[in-house]
Amino acid sequence: MKVLVVGGGGREHALCWKLSQSPRVQRLYCAPGNGGISEVAELVPIGAEDLEGILKFVKEEAIDLTVVGPEAPLVRGLTDLLEGEGFRVFGPNKAASEIEGSKAFAKEFMRRHGIPTAPFVIFEDPEEAKSWIERSDKPLVVKASGLAAGKGTIVCDSAEEAIQAVDYIMVQRAFGEAGSKIVVEERLEGQELSYIAFCDGEDILPMSTSQDHKRLLDGDKGPNTGGMGAYSPVPFVSAELEKRIIREIMLPAVRGLKQEGRPYKGVLYAGLMIDRDGNPWVLEFNCRFGDPETQPLLVRMQGDILEVMLACIEGRLAELQIGWDPSPAVCVVMASRGYPGPYEKGKEIRGLETLEGMPDVWVFHAGTVKRDNRYLTSGGRVLGVTAKGRDLREAIRKAYEAVSRIHWEGAHYRKDIGHKGLNEAWPS
């Protein structure tokens, strides 16, 4: 089969790496890809949001399967465009992708289907939002309703911060049109959890659990980012809690979307908060694999991911099972100086060759280009250094040992990825 992966981040590198292991994949392409992806796939110089360019390439090369990594092309309707021309696509259509494309839609959808989520109000007028916030007596979270590359959520400690967040999103238009509508919701406390499942429109096949680290700095300080690291599995998720997540959140979401005429085929990502009483609440839904959660998940996933993707498209997930390596995995994101704000590019990355031969260590490239056999930085998140160990502590040690060998001017990373998972009962 000829397979095209759309996107150019760390998630797409991990997907290309995993797909390249399938005996059925004869040629693997990635558009636009990055420096590291060029080692496992042929790069195609087409942007992930150039829908017509992607369609033209798929037609010319007679691509058998297109796997869409990022949310933006899904929300804009890439799946509909390709399927309309008779091509197979892994990724939900435009109507189903609205579960991520509009946080306002997602919250109202959850209310309609009884899916647990924080109380919320939706605003299109910044003055109305600020007036409502002044009357509120609870900690709040302010979210841009549209797509903001994982950075459109502002967790506020006071009404004053929430009002500033409204100005930042709606008046200053920090996220452009994505901030023309906002969701203001009650702030939930507890532990965040990423729960990702394959879906075929009716059934789901869950992946293992994982936990992202959204904030820029150690101890969950600083601004939100697209994700500074992740680990899998999450030890404080019991079998009973996982059953509740499937029963109360994942299946109602997939069946609710089908009921509303938006059959969901692809991966559905639920960003959850597990409160102190062990109850799961949905913070957000995403219409694609998480980044960086995909990196530790895929190094643990056993079997052929291509077969799972085809089963999603063909509506036969119920026939399949996924095996998981019990060894935990950790991904530490190395970022450019300035991220998640303006960042520098073009810095030479040194030390990658010293990782060759390190067992159970992988470096997934996110923001790199390869020139004259050298890797240069080209994005905010640059590398996802991933390691597997006999236990979580060893996986963390190996990941940071690998990180310590990689250098470029201004490199930044958190030093506490995975530490929450070391306390199996309930991390503080």
Side-chain angles (χ1 to χ4, degrees):
M1 289 180 68
K2 290 183 176 181
V3 178
L4 169 67
V5 174
V6 174
R11 161 186 54 218
E12 287 75 36
H13 190 179
L15 286 167
C16 286
W17 171 80
K18 189 68 174 171
L19 282 162
S20 70
Q21 298 165 30
S22 171
R24 294 184 62 184
V25 176
Q26 293 163 321
R27 294 193 75 175
L28 182 60
Y29 303 91
C30 189
N34 62 43
I37 293 174
S38 67
E39 301 293 325
V40 291
E42 298 176 48
L43 300 191
V44 182
I46 302 171
E49 294 185 56
D50 181 0
L51 273 55
E52 291 296 335
I54 292 167
L55 174 61
K56 183 170 180 283
F57 178 80
V58 167
K59 282 181 171 179
E60 287 174 352
E61 292 296 326
I63 297 296
D64 297 297
L65 174 66
T66 300
V67 178
V68 187
E71 62 275 15
L74 292 168
V75 170
R76 289 185 56 206
L78 179 56
T79 295
D80 309 66
L81 183 67
L82 294 175
E83 286 184 344
E85 297 284 344
F87 294 100
R88 284 190 291 190
V89 188
F90 180 79
N93 63 24
K94 184 175 183 177
S97 297
E98 196 171 358
I99 197 83
E100 176 168 6
S102 168
K103 287 186 172 64
F105 166 79
K107 294 290 284 191
E108 290 174 326
F109 169 83
M110 287 186 266
R111 183 152 59 192
R112 286 195 297 277
H113 293 276
I115 296 170
T117 191
F120 67 96
V121 187
I122 296 166
F123 295 100
E124 295 184 50
D125 180 280
E127 296 309 314
E128 284 183 21
K130 288 188 272 191
S131 175
W132 185 89
I133 288 167
E134 285 171 350
R135 298 193 303 272
S136 174
D137 61 351
K138 294 189 173 164
L140 299 171
V141 179
V142 181
K143 299 179 175 180
S145 180
L147 296 181
K151 306 180 193 79
T153 295
I154 301 176
V155 180
C156 307
D157 290 321
S158 64
E160 183 183 4
E161 281 186 20
I163 288 168
Q164 288 172 355
V166 172
D167 274 331
Y168 184 64
I169 295 171
M170 300 194 82
V171 180
Q172 299 172 36
R173 287 299 174 105
F175 309 109
E177 276 302 304
S180 59
K181 184 185 288 188
I182 62 169
V183 173
V184 181
E185 65 182 37
E186 212 172 285
R187 180 172 166 177
L188 298 172
E189 299 294 342
Q191 280 296 323
E192 290 194 41
L193 175 70
S194 300
Y195 199 82
I196 305 171
F198 292 96
C199 309
D200 67 0
E202 181 68 41
D203 291 308
I204 69 166
L205 185 57
M207 299 189 79
S208 184
T209 56
S210 56
Q211 188 175 47
D212 187 12
H213 298 64
K214 284 281 188 194
R215 299 292 192 99
L216 180 68
L217 305 173
D218 289 2
D220 291 332
K221 307 294 184 187
N224 263 358
T225 70
M228 294 300 294
Y231 70 95
S232 171
V234 181
F236 57 85
V237 178
S238 65
E240 182 53 40
L241 173 57
E242 191 161 3
K243 285 178 188 170
R244 285 189 63 189
I245 291 168
I246 293 169
R247 184 177 69 243
E248 298 173 17
I249 293 168
M250 304 305 288
L251 285 175
V254 172
R255 288 170 185 171
L257 286 163
K258 181 185 178 185
Q259 183 185 324
E260 296 191 7
R262 303 168 185 257
Y264 195 101
K265 294 188 175 187
V267 280
L268 182 62
Y269 169 127
L272 307 177
M273 183 70 80
I274 312 301
D275 70 20
R276 284 280 171 184
D277 297 321
N279 300 307
W281 301 80
V282 179
L283 299 173
E284 63 180 1
F285 280 117
N286 293 327
C287 62
R288 36 71 189 180
F289 288 100
D291 189 350
E293 296 97 329
T294 302
Q295 291 86 309
L297 283 169
L298 291 192
V299 301
R300 295 186 56 236
M301 182 182 175
Q302 297 170 334
D304 190 341
I305 195 171
L306 178 72
E307 298 295 346
V308 182
M309 291 174 170
L310 293 174
C312 290
I313 295 167
E314 295 163 9
R316 50 180 182 82
L317 262 189
E319 301 172 7
L320 298 188
Q321 289 185 316
I322 301 176
W324 295 94
D325 185 333
S327 305
V330 174
C331 173
V332 178
V333 170
M334 299 183 71
S336 296
R337 178 162 50 210
Y339 177 80
Y343 50 82
E344 303 167 317
K345 296 181 183 180
K347 305 296 182 184
E348 183 174 358
I349 304 167
R350 301 180 184 275
L352 289 171
E353 70 286 348
T354 68
L355 273 59
E356 291 173 15
M358 282 185 75
D360 289 336
V361 172
W362 301 265
V363 179
F364 295 112
H365 291 230
T368 70
V369 291
K370 191 175 185 181
R371 291 191 191 134
D372 302 323
N373 271 338
R374 298 184 307 149
Y375 290 106
L376 306 176
T377 66
S378 67
R381 293 189 294 173
V382 177
L383 301 173
V385 181
T386 305
K388 205 164 58 174
R390 287 167 299 182
D391 54 29
L392 183 56
R393 199 173 295 277
E394 183 183 73
I396 292 169
R397 181 188 60 75
K398 287 169 72 173
Y400 279 105
E401 181 186 341
V403 165
S404 73
R405 300 186 186 191
I406 303 169
H407 308 279
W408 71 86
E409 184 188 339
H412 165 75
Y413 55 91
R414 280 182 58 160
K415 299 173 182 64
D416 63 347
I417 302 301
H419 288 195
K420 293 177 186 176
L422 295 176
N423 178 353
E424 293 193 21
W426 185 268
S428 58

